[in-house]
Amino acid sequence: MKTIFIMVKCELGKAYDVAAEGVENVEQVSEVYSISGKYDLMMKCYLDDDQDIGHFVNEQIQTLPGIKDTFTMITFKAFS
């Protein structure tokens, strides 16, 4: 299992709709946070080790209604 974070820029007034759509309809999205800065949302996603990150972002995230732009961060190790 690998973890990625996707920062999402939404169309004006669509952040809550995008967040709900991601959590409810994309199995790999575990959490969505509203954030400050250049992006509106940050999605935490868990992907299978053999799942292609590029295809996942392009086909399942960037196609959600209301998304204008994304920035993907790939994680290496979680510390706790």
Side-chain angles (χ1 to χ4, degrees):
M1 189 71 61
K2 54 191 168 192
T3 306
I4 64 170
F5 288 89
I6 304 169
M7 297 172 70
V8 177
K9 192 177 294 184
C10 303
E11 295 175 4
L12 292 176
K14 297 295 183 183
Y16 282 79
D17 295 336
V18 171
E21 183 81 16
V23 169
E24 294 169 8
N25 296 318
V26 181
E27 177 184 339
Q28 296 88 339
V29 175
S30 68
E31 302 165 41
V32 179
Y33 298 90
S34 59
I35 58 173
S36 63
K38 293 183 178 185
Y39 291 86
D40 303 303
L41 303 171
M42 183 169 59
M43 296 182 171
K44 183 178 184 180
C45 306
Y46 293 106
L47 278 64
D48 291 331
D49 287 328
D50 61 345
Q51 188 168 8
D52 184 274
I53 294 170
H55 282 284
F56 169 74
V57 173
N58 281 303
E59 296 165 9
Q60 295 191 45
I61 300 299
Q62 291 179 343
T63 57
L64 293 174
I67 290 184
K68 288 175 55 175
D69 191 19
T70 63
F71 180 84
T72 303
M73 292 180 283
I74 301 169
T75 63
F76 299 112
K77 178 174 175 52
F79 297 91
S80 58

